[in-house]
Amino acid sequence: MAQKILGLRTTIYKVADVNQAKEWYTKAFEVAPYFDQPFHVGFEVGGYELGLQPEEAPVKEKSENVLTYWGVNDIHAEYNRFIALGATEHEAPTEVGDGIVVATVKDPWGNIVGLIYNPHFKISS
C-alpha cells in the first residue's frame, strides 16, 4: 500500500507587508523566491517550501501553538545572524537532549521561526 501522507511540503507565514517580508526572508534564508505574486511568495528551502501570504487584518500577537523548525548545521551562528537581520529573540538555543539543539526567533511580523540542529535526523525521499 502506498504511503498516503508524504511529509511536510509548505510552511506559510502571514505578514502585513509581503514585499518587505520577501526582502527579509530572502536575506534570512539566503535564497530568492521561485514564485512571486501579491497573494503568495514561495521560496524553496532544502526541498521544502516557505511561503509568505498577506494578512488581511494584521495582528500583533500571533499564536504559538504550531512551530516549524528549519534545519541548520550551526544553530548558534544562524540564530545570531537572524537576530542581526532584525528578528527578535524568542527562545535562545537550548539542547533538548541527545545533541539536539533548538531555538526560535520572531520575524519582524511576529511569526515564530524555529531553528534546529539535529544530528540524528536525515531526510528520506
Side-chain angles (χ1 to χ4, degrees), residues 38-120:
F39 59 89
H40 181 88
V41 176
F43 299 84
E44 189 275 320
V45 181
Y48 301 96
E49 182 184 34
L50 182 160
L52 303 174
Q53 292 180 348
E55 284 181 301
E56 291 184 25
V59 294
K60 246 184 171 183
E61 292 298 317
K62 298 198 177 180
S63 174
E64 295 187 17
N65 65 330
V66 177
L67 296 175
T68 299
Y69 287 93
W70 297 94
V72 297
N73 289 318
D74 185 339
I75 196 162
H76 296 284
E78 290 305 308
Y79 179 82
N80 290 331
R81 192 174 66 77
F82 273 60
I83 298 296
L85 287 171
T88 56
E89 184 173 318
H90 184 255
E91 293 179 349
T94 303
E95 183 167 345
V96 294
D98 212 14
I100 300 167
V101 183
V102 297
T104 54
V105 298
K106 286 192 175 184
D107 72 10
W109 301 271
N111 296 297
I112 298 173
V113 178
L115 304 172
I116 186 169
Y117 169 73
N118 183 344
H120 311 286

Side-chain angles (χ1 to χ4, degrees), residues 9-55:
R9 295 295 186 262
T10 305
T11 293
I12 302 292
Y13 296 105
K14 301 279 187 159
V15 295
D17 186 317
V18 171
N19 288 323
Q20 284 181 351
K22 176 176 54 177
E23 289 179 31
W24 191 84
Y25 275 89
T26 296
K27 290 176 188 171
F29 281 80
E30 298 179 325
V31 63
Y34 78 89
F35 186 86
D36 189 354
Q37 295 294 321
F39 59 89
H40 181 88
V41 176
F43 299 84
E44 189 275 320
V45 181
Y48 301 96
E49 182 184 34
L50 182 160
L52 303 174
Q53 292 180 348
E55 284 181 301

